[in-house]
Amino acid sequence: MSNKAIEAWKSSLPKGKHIFVSAGVKNIHPVMDRIVNRLLAINRIQYVRITPSDIQASSEITIRGKAKIPISTPSHPTAIGVHLIFEPAEKYVQFHEITSSTKGYGGRIVQAVMDSIPEDWEALVMLDYSDGFWDKMMEKYDKILIL
């Protein structure tokens, strides 16, 4: 995908939202496109950053050098965000980090991701220190696996 195609894709996303695409991104996978669009549909999510293997989305960003990184650090006092590791060849999305300072937004984030992935994909959680959140999500979505 050319830079012009990526710019056209970015311009089709909701107004008032900010998306940062790393230089290493050569194309936008259709599942990544669906995830990004559904995350941006969540009213509090304002920022998305895409790398070849990551999707980060949040209500807030931090600046590291020149990079603007959406905040997804668990238990962050004010942010609502997620960091996903995207593996289309293996047909999974991994929830690397998720945080929600406002009750209910963690569930909205998970729903956005789960509604975006195909039936033959899975969502992985490598480390669960959520005190029951992922147990509730596993009851609701049968494609979530805690490893």
XYZ file of all heavy atoms in Angstrom, residues 78-125:
376
model
N -6.268 7.715 34.832
C -7.188 8.509 34.020
C -7.427 7.983 32.606
O -8.371 8.418 31.955
C -6.679 9.964 33.908
O -5.373 9.958 33.318
C -6.624 10.640 35.276
N -6.604 7.082 32.120
C -6.694 6.649 30.716
C -7.648 5.479 30.515
O -7.881 4.677 31.410
C -5.311 6.259 30.195
N -8.176 5.422 29.313
C -8.942 4.285 28.810
C -8.203 3.846 27.558
O -8.088 4.634 26.606
C -10.385 4.691 28.464
C -11.117 5.138 29.724
C -11.121 3.564 27.746
C -12.394 5.884 29.452
N -7.640 2.627 27.560
C -6.856 2.246 26.403
C -6.536 0.774 26.322
O -6.762 0.011 27.262
N -5.986 0.391 25.172
C -5.626 -0.994 24.916
C -4.387 -1.034 24.026
O -4.177 -0.151 23.198
C -6.793 -1.766 24.252
C -7.114 -1.223 22.859
C -6.541 -3.259 24.216
N -3.572 -2.066 24.244
C -2.433 -2.366 23.379
C -2.631 -3.798 22.906
O -2.656 -4.722 23.711
C -1.127 -2.221 24.159
C 0.091 -2.526 23.345
N 1.349 -2.318 23.823
C 0.269 -3.026 22.085
C 2.241 -2.667 22.912
N 1.600 -3.115 21.855
N -2.797 -3.950 21.607
C -3.009 -5.255 20.999
C -1.792 -5.646 20.185
O -1.194 -4.806 19.505
C -4.216 -5.218 20.062
C -5.541 -4.788 20.660
C -6.547 -4.509 19.553
C -6.064 -5.848 21.607
N -1.445 -6.913 20.230
C -0.438 -7.470 19.336
C -1.210 -8.213 18.252
O -2.040 -9.080 18.545
C 0.545 -8.381 20.081
C 1.306 -7.554 21.132
C 1.503 -9.054 19.099
C 2.187 -8.355 22.045
N -0.944 -7.860 17.019
C -1.726 -8.314 15.870
C -0.921 -9.342 15.090
O 0.169 -9.046 14.612
C -2.047 -7.082 15.009
C -2.944 -7.342 13.849
C -4.298 -7.572 14.034
C -2.448 -7.338 12.555
C -5.130 -7.801 12.955
C -3.269 -7.562 11.471
C -4.616 -7.788 11.674
N -1.441 -10.563 14.971
C -0.751 -11.658 14.272
C -1.675 -12.300 13.236
O -2.233 -13.377 13.464
C -0.287 -12.720 15.281
C 0.858 -12.283 16.156
C 2.164 -12.150 15.391
O 2.304 -12.720 14.295
O 3.050 -11.457 15.904
N -1.848 -11.664 12.078
C -2.775 -12.209 11.081
C -2.369 -13.576 10.533
O -3.231 -14.403 10.242
C -2.805 -11.151 9.984
C -1.561 -10.364 10.163
C -1.226 -10.426 11.622
N -1.079 -13.854 10.402
C -0.639 -15.156 9.879
C -1.020 -16.288 10.832
O -1.310 -17.403 10.391
C 0.869 -15.153 9.639
N -1.033 -15.996 12.122
C -1.397 -16.990 13.140
C -2.872 -16.911 13.523
O -3.347 -17.688 14.350
C -0.526 -16.808 14.389
C 0.960 -16.899 14.127
C 1.380 -18.274 13.639
O 0.817 -19.283 14.106
O 2.284 -18.332 12.785
N -3.580 -15.934 12.978
C -5.015 -15.726 13.201
C -5.348 -15.478 14.675
O -6.224 -16.110 15.249
C -5.836 -16.890 12.649
C -5.725 -17.022 11.149
C -6.649 -18.085 10.622
C -6.581 -18.116 9.116
N -7.525 -19.040 8.544
N -4.628 -14.528 15.254
C -4.984 -14.121 16.606
C -4.629 -12.662 16.857
O -3.821 -12.063 16.167
C -4.348 -15.020 17.667
C -2.876 -14.836 17.930
C -2.409 -13.805 18.744
C -1.937 -15.701 17.379
C -1.060 -13.635 18.994
C -0.586 -15.541 17.626
C -0.150 -14.505 18.439
O 1.187 -14.347 18.678
N -5.286 -12.130 17.871
C -4.994 -10.821 18.428
C -4.724 -11.057 19.903
O -5.485 -11.756 20.578
C -6.186 -9.853 18.262
C -5.930 -8.545 18.971
C -6.495 -9.625 16.800
N -3.645 -10.493 20.395
C -3.316 -10.649 21.813
C -3.592 -9.340 22.546
O -3.147 -8.273 22.116
C -1.850 -11.015 21.991
C -1.436 -11.097 23.447
C 0.065 -11.240 23.621
O 0.761 -11.705 22.732
N 0.549 -10.830 24.756
N -4.329 -9.429 23.640
C -4.512 -8.282 24.517
C -3.249 -8.179 25.366
O -3.075 -8.911 26.332
C -5.742 -8.466 25.408
C -7.038 -8.245 24.696
C -7.691 -9.307 24.082
C -7.610 -6.990 24.622
C -8.896 -9.118 23.423
C -8.813 -6.784 23.958
C -9.456 -7.849 23.356
N -2.349 -7.276 24.982
C -1.093 -7.108 25.702
C -1.313 -6.275 26.967
O -0.810 -6.624 28.034
C -0.064 -6.448 24.786
C 1.267 -6.253 25.407
N 2.078 -7.305 25.756
C 1.927 -5.122 25.764
C 3.190 -6.830 26.299
N 3.120 -5.516 26.310
N -2.066 -5.186 26.846
C -2.419 -4.336 27.984
C -3.817 -3.780 27.746
O -4.213 -3.550 26.615
C -1.483 -3.132 28.118
C -0.074 -3.421 28.503
C 0.762 -2.147 28.603
O 0.528 -1.187 27.840
O 1.660 -2.141 29.462
N -4.517 -3.535 28.837
C -5.808 -2.862 28.763
C -6.016 -2.119 30.072
O -5.622 -2.600 31.136
C -6.960 -3.855 28.471
C -8.278 -3.129 28.196
C -7.098 -4.872 29.583
C -9.375 -4.008 27.609
N -6.590 -0.938 29.962
C -6.897 -0.160 31.157
C -8.186 0.611 30.937
O -8.521 0.972 29.807
C -5.747 0.806 31.526
O -5.997 1.330 32.838
C -5.590 1.945 30.541
N -8.901 0.830 32.018
C -10.115 1.620 31.952
C -10.322 2.317 33.287
O -10.647 1.688 34.287
C -11.326 0.744 31.631
O -12.494 1.527 31.621
N -10.121 3.612 33.271
C -10.338 4.392 34.486
C -11.825 4.629 34.734
O -12.209 5.037 35.828
C -9.612 5.737 34.383
O -10.135 6.488 33.294
N -12.644 4.361 33.736
C -14.093 4.533 33.846
C -14.767 3.186 33.626
O -14.547 2.542 32.604
C -14.596 5.554 32.796
O -13.867 6.768 32.949
C -16.082 5.815 32.951
N -15.571 2.774 34.588
C -16.228 1.472 34.527
C -17.001 1.310 33.224
O -17.683 2.214 32.767
C -17.168 1.314 35.725
C -17.759 -0.066 35.841
C -18.446 -0.246 37.178
C -19.096 -1.580 37.319
N -18.243 -2.714 37.257
N -16.850 0.143 32.625
C -17.580 -0.196 31.412
C -16.779 -0.077 30.125
O -17.094 -0.735 29.137
N -15.762 0.742 30.120
C -15.012 0.937 28.883
C -14.106 -0.238 28.551
O -13.849 -0.505 27.381
C -14.232 2.252 28.910
C -15.126 3.417 28.573
C -15.797 4.104 29.568
C -15.337 3.798 27.254
C -16.645 5.156 29.271
C -16.179 4.849 26.939
C -16.832 5.522 27.957
O -17.679 6.555 27.638
N -13.622 -0.970 29.545
C -12.846 -2.174 29.263
C -13.684 -3.166 28.477
O -13.235 -3.745 27.486
N -14.934 -3.350 28.894
C -15.847 -4.235 28.185
C -16.147 -3.749 26.774
O -16.249 -4.551 25.840
N -16.268 -2.440 26.598
C -16.507 -1.883 25.262
C -15.316 -2.134 24.344
O -15.490 -2.426 23.152
C -16.775 -0.382 25.343
C -18.090 -0.031 25.985
C -18.275 1.459 26.040
N -19.392 1.797 26.919
C -19.816 3.020 27.136
N -19.213 4.037 26.553
N -20.819 3.237 27.955
N -14.112 -1.998 24.900
C -12.908 -2.248 24.109
C -12.868 -3.711 23.672
O -12.625 -4.013 22.506
C -11.641 -1.865 24.904
C -11.543 -0.338 25.029
C -10.392 -2.449 24.261
C -10.471 0.146 26.000
N -13.102 -4.613 24.612
C -13.086 -6.040 24.279
C -14.158 -6.349 23.244
O -13.904 -7.066 22.275
C -13.249 -6.911 25.544
C -13.410 -8.381 25.173
C -12.057 -6.721 26.484
N -15.340 -5.795 23.396
C -16.415 -6.027 22.426
C -16.008 -5.532 21.040
O -16.250 -6.212 20.036
C -17.699 -5.339 22.859
C -18.835 -5.574 21.882
C -20.140 -4.921 22.302
O -20.213 -4.215 23.306
N -21.172 -5.164 21.528
N -15.379 -4.356 20.967
C -14.946 -3.819 19.674
C -13.976 -4.772 18.988
O -14.077 -5.023 17.777
C -14.299 -2.449 19.867
N -13.042 -5.315 19.749
C -12.065 -6.241 19.175
C -12.746 -7.548 18.778
O -12.551 -8.048 17.658
C -10.901 -6.496 20.157
C -9.975 -7.584 19.633
C -10.132 -5.200 20.416
N -13.545 -8.108 19.668
C -14.182 -9.399 19.398
C -15.151 -9.314 18.221
O -15.263 -10.258 17.446
C -14.883 -9.925 20.653
C -13.948 -10.163 21.833
S -12.486 -11.151 21.461
C -13.234 -12.723 21.094
N -15.829 -8.189 18.065
C -16.735 -8.005 16.925
C -15.974 -7.830 15.610
O -16.554 -7.942 14.542
C -17.634 -6.786 17.143
C -18.709 -7.031 18.200
O -18.883 -8.186 18.639
O -19.358 -6.039 18.593
N -14.669 -7.551 15.697
C -13.864 -7.282 14.508
C -13.151 -8.502 13.955
O -12.776 -8.515 12.785
C -12.798 -6.224 14.831
O -13.395 -5.031 15.259
N -12.905 -9.493 14.800
C -12.099 -10.628 14.336
C -12.984 -11.710 13.716
O -14.103 -11.933 14.161
C -11.198 -11.205 15.454
C -12.005 -11.764 16.618
C -10.205 -10.147 15.932
C -11.155 -12.460 17.693
N -12.464 -12.386 12.691
C -13.228 -13.457 12.039
C -13.469 -14.648 12.981
O -12.790 -14.803 14.001
C -12.330 -13.876 10.875
C -11.418 -12.729 10.636
C -11.215 -12.090 11.991
N -14.400 -15.492 12.593
C -14.764 -16.665 13.409
C -13.597 -17.599 13.676
O -13.544 -18.233 14.721
C -15.899 -17.446 12.721
C -17.256 -16.802 12.861
C -17.728 -16.710 14.297
O -17.558 -17.688 15.061
O -18.249 -15.645 14.672
N -12.659 -17.705 12.738
C -11.552 -18.645 12.910
C -10.337 -18.022 13.613
O -9.285 -18.628 13.693
C -11.144 -19.261 11.575
C -10.693 -18.240 10.550
O -11.029 -17.038 10.686
O -9.997 -18.631 9.594
N -10.487 -16.816 14.142
C -9.429 -16.159 14.907
C -9.691 -16.332 16.405
O -10.814 -16.635 16.819
C -9.376 -14.676 14.589
C -8.729 -14.322 13.291
C -8.916 -14.941 12.083
C -7.824 -13.263 13.066
N -8.175 -14.313 11.118
C -7.494 -13.272 11.698
C -7.265 -12.287 13.878
C -6.623 -12.350 11.130
C -6.402 -11.369 13.321
C -6.083 -11.409 11.957
N -8.649 -16.078 17.199
C -8.784 -16.102 18.651
C -8.221 -14.818 19.233
O -7.431 -14.124 18.600
C -8.016 -17.293 19.242
C -8.588 -18.623 18.836
C -7.772 -19.794 19.346
O -6.518 -19.681 19.397
O -8.382 -20.811 19.690
N -8.629 -14.538 20.460
C -8.076 -13.422 21.225
C -7.359 -14.022 22.421
O -7.941 -14.819 23.163
C -9.177 -12.486 21.677
N -6.090 -13.669 22.581
C -5.271 -14.248 23.637
C -4.997 -13.229 24.731
O -4.808 -12.046 24.456
C -3.937 -14.736 23.073
C -3.992 -15.691 21.882
C -2.578 -16.034 21.431
C -4.772 -16.943 22.219
N -4.945 -13.733 25.954
C -4.539 -12.937 27.110
C -3.396 -13.704 27.743
O -3.583 -14.833 28.209
C -5.704 -12.759 28.115
C -5.241 -11.974 29.342
C -6.899 -12.089 27.445
